[in-house]
Amino acid sequence: MGHVTGFKQFDRELPAKVAPQERISNYKEFVGLYSPEQLNHQAARCMDCGVPFCHSGCPLGNIIPEFNDAVYRQDWEEAYRVLISTNNFPEFTGRICPAPCESACVLGINRPPVAIEEIEKHIIETAFQKGLVRPSAPLLKSGKTVAVVGSGPAGLAAAAQLNKAGHTVTVFERDDMPGGLLRYGIPDFKLEKWVVERRISLMEEEGVIFRCNTEIGKDVPADTLLREFDAVVLTGGSTIPRDLPLPGRDLPGIHFAMDFLKQQNKRVSARAVEQEPIIVTGQDVIVIGGGDTGSDCVGTSNRQGAASVTQFELLAQPPKERTAHMPWPNYPMVLKTTSSHEEGCQRYWGINTKEFLSDGNGNLRALRITDVTWETDVMGRPIKFQEIQGSEREVPCQRIFLAMGFLHPQANGMLEQLGVALDGRGNVQATEKAYQTSVARVFAAGDMRRGQSLVVWAISEGREAARQVDKFLMGKTVLPTKDAEPMFASV
């Protein structure tokens, strides 16, 4: 424990941000770094609890009190060693994870929790600065080959772990650059792409092979993978968005959120945009969906110079603090105001969309909506809604982004050709312990297996799937489980 009374002496403090009106003039990250003294104080707030619930709150099982103690002592090599023993990519999670570990922090019972996510980011960036992050190719090769389909966080984690175990790993990506959601889904103002490229370059130095512009099931038949590789890991993600098939849906100006975000990410990276440009400068924008993807649309719209940005959510407004139905240490569904909301956005809850309206010349002019009330069960969970009479109205707009989540992975192409079984939700059916699909030598991990989830869960799934693939190929595995002791975790 770094400081016995640190949790009493120091308050939670986050790094300074660039002012909203200044940061929306570009797409750069805008969260600063702690001073050495601030970082020391924030690490000192960790109580090194007898039962550290933050471990179980983190899907990766990060060993949080230990790296906080190392940060307090300024032992950066130790902090880095502990951090990467469970997390391949702390530079990603330290920027874009919603930090369920902080929700489970014991200090959070009656005080603001330890700033775990920021400390994590500071550890990895300091490690890069000090030259502690170096490529580490395996000394011995197994002679086995593995194909990883998809280069998002699950695919990258699986590839990194399998390469560490000595297998020859080839990652297939249908886009022109590796990274998946990290590159073409998350805006640069949350995750600049040099961060992704730095990690990809490191993995290439370690021996991982990336083949981009290659869609399995289209450019390469799926059975080719089974012939040329000893095992295949499917990590393509949940990519089919939830639609809103209402009257007027075919009007121009209505887009899926990811089409909008991907285009802008390509522009920022000076990559060609082949589809019709989606630009909202001077327009009234409505975002339907209150999650993180919707928030990213808000931030991107403001940076493009939208005249106004409005966000609608069908569910009722969440409470500002935990309720009796959200006891600690469970992750609470409370009101979340993101940095994008700070930059300018009108937010409304309990809104049902009825119709997309035309101006008579085939152009989108407005959205017809109505207010709703929700009936909940004894646990406070929504059951069904009822429209409020007399609340129907029109909201003028020229652009609408649908950000209501994702249903399941793309079935046509690779999955159909492989013939893998799907579950009731359309995800690839694979056992939770072995990550094996219904097809021999084919494994699945990440959103493609578990459904739409968090980046930190994708990394966890990729690591756990890699362990099972290694065990399948070799009869045993040298890769750690999520619950491995830290002294063995870096093997």
Side-chain angles (χ1 to χ4, degrees):
M1 185 174 182
H3 195 304
V4 176
T5 59
F7 68 97
K8 289 185 174 182
Q9 290 182 239
F10 307 117
D11 294 326
R12 176 183 168 100
E13 183 181 1
L14 296 176
K17 300 177 184 176
V18 176
Q21 291 309 306
E22 181 181 348
R23 68 191 190 223
I24 63 173
S25 64
N26 59 67
Y27 290 86
K28 295 184 180 297
E29 292 181 22
F30 50 81
V31 179
L33 293 173
Y34 288 125
S35 68
E37 182 182 31
Q38 288 174 317
L39 181 58
N40 180 268
H41 289 174
Q42 293 308 304
R45 298 186 72 238
C46 179
M47 299 188 294
D48 193 13
C49 308
V51 180
F53 282 84
C54 55
H55 283 198
S56 57
C58 174
L60 286 165
N62 282 343
I63 309 161
I64 294 162
E66 282 84 346
F67 71 59
N68 278 328
D69 176 64
V71 170
Y72 178 77
R73 292 185 283 107
Q74 299 182 48
D75 187 339
W76 295 108
E77 188 169 355
E78 173 71 5
Y80 171 63
R81 187 191 70 81
V82 172
L83 181 57
I84 64 164
S85 70
T86 56
N87 185 354
N88 298 77
F89 315 121
E91 67 269 36
F92 302 154
T93 55
R95 286 171 165 84
I96 60 176
C97 182
C101 55
E102 294 185 13
S103 298
C105 174
V106 175
L107 182 57
I109 294 176
N110 56 12
R111 297 191 65 178
V114 175
I116 300 169
E117 183 180 18
E118 282 296 336
I119 294 173
E120 183 176 309
K121 183 178 77 173
H122 280 67
I123 293 172
I124 186 61
E125 292 304 325
T126 301
F128 271 110
Q129 292 169 12
K130 292 182 176 294
L132 300 175
V133 186
R134 297 182 291 269
S136 179
L139 297 177
L140 299 175
K141 300 294 287 186
S142 68
K144 303 292 185 179
T145 58
V146 183
V148 176
V149 184
S151 66
L156 292 179
Q161 292 295 96
L162 288 165
N163 181 71
K164 182 186 297 185
H167 308 305
T168 299
V169 183
T170 302
V171 180
F172 293 89
E173 171 57 55
R174 64 181 177 182
D175 277 322
D176 59 346
M177 298 285 281
L181 175 77
L182 300 168
R183 180 175 293 277
Y184 286 138
I186 297 170
D188 287 68
F189 54 80
K190 290 172 65 175
L191 177 66
E192 288 190 39
K193 300 314 168 230
W194 64 264
V195 179
V196 180
E197 290 161 3
R198 180 178 62 182
R199 180 57 66 173
I200 296 295
S201 296
L202 194 66
M203 292 178 65
E204 288 177 327
E205 290 185 64
E206 293 174 336
V208 177
I209 302 164
F210 290 92
R211 287 183 55 183
C212 297
N213 291 310
T214 306
E215 183 174 351
I216 304 302
K218 180 181 177 182
D219 302 309
V220 175
D223 60 1
T224 299
L225 299 186
L226 295 175
R227 289 197 306 270
E228 297 183 356
F229 294 88
D230 296 307
V232 178
V233 189
L234 309 180
T235 60
S238 182
T239 56
I240 303 302
R242 184 174 282 107
D243 204 349
L244 202 56
L246 297 172
R249 173 62 180 87
D250 58 347
L251 289 170
I254 305 171
H255 312 274
F256 288 119
M258 291 306 297
D259 294 337
F260 176 50
L261 298 176
K262 183 175 182 178
Q263 274 198 18
Q264 188 55 47
N265 277 8
K266 284 198 166 191
R267 288 191 195 94
V268 174
S269 298
R271 313 292 294 184
V273 176
E274 299 173 353
Q275 296 77 22
E276 181 180 351
I278 305 174
I279 304 292
V280 302
T281 307
Q283 296 181 337
D284 299 305
V285 174
I286 292 180
V287 179
I288 301 178
D292 287 338
T293 303
S295 170
D296 292 344
C297 288
V298 171
T300 303
S301 296
N302 279 320
R303 281 163 177 77
Q304 285 193 0
S308 68
V309 184
T310 304
Q311 187 174 25
F312 291 144
E313 169 58 57
L314 178 61
L315 295 174
Q317 181 174 338
K320 294 182 179 180
E321 298 179 350
R322 291 182 186 270
T323 67
H325 305 305
M326 305 176 197
W328 175 91
N330 294 323
Y331 188 77
M333 302 304 292
V334 295
L335 181 63
K336 181 180 179 182
T337 300
T338 70
S339 59
S340 291
H341 296 137
E342 296 170 356
E343 295 160 3
C345 176
Q346 294 293 320
R347 305 171 71 189
Y348 299 91
W349 291 264
I351 300 293
N352 186 35
T353 303
K354 303 286 288 183
E355 184 179 2
F356 304 103
L357 302 174
S358 169
D359 63 359
N361 296 316
N363 300 311
L364 177 68
R365 73 167 180 84
L367 185 68
R368 178 172 288 133
I369 62 171
T370 183
D371 296 323
V372 301
T373 58
W374 280 90
E375 178 183 338
T376 60
D377 62 14
V378 293
M379 294 298 294
R381 294 171 297 201
I383 301 174
K384 61 181 179 179
F385 67 83
Q386 183 175 356
E387 294 184 358
I388 299 176
Q389 285 189 335
S391 65
E392 189 171 294
R393 59 198 182 278
E394 297 180 6
V395 182
C397 61
Q398 297 82 49
R399 292 280 184 176
I400 294 176
F401 296 119
L402 306 180
M404 303 171 293
F406 299 85
L407 298 171
H408 47 69
Q410 176 183 319
N412 63 304
M414 178 183 68
L415 298 185
E416 286 182 349
Q417 291 181 20
L418 287 173
V420 293
L422 306 178
D423 64 19
R425 297 183 297 162
N427 299 318
V428 176
Q429 194 171 66
T431 57
E432 186 170 358
K433 289 187 176 180
Y435 291 82
Q436 290 182 325
T437 71
S438 59
V439 177
R441 298 190 290 119
V442 179
F443 298 75
D447 290 4
M448 178 169 275
R449 187 192 77 86
R450 67 178 286 121
Q452 178 189 352
S453 191
L454 306 175
V455 166
V456 68
W457 265 115
I459 297 172
S460 175
E461 290 252 323
R463 288 173 60 91
E464 295 299 311
R467 184 174 186 275
Q468 296 303 323
V469 173
D470 184 43
K471 187 176 180 180
F472 167 78
L473 293 173
M474 308 302 291
K476 60 181 181 179
T477 181
V478 297
L479 296 173
T481 66
K482 183 173 68 173
D483 302 316
E485 291 295 324
M487 64 182 294
F488 301 120
S490 59
V491 174

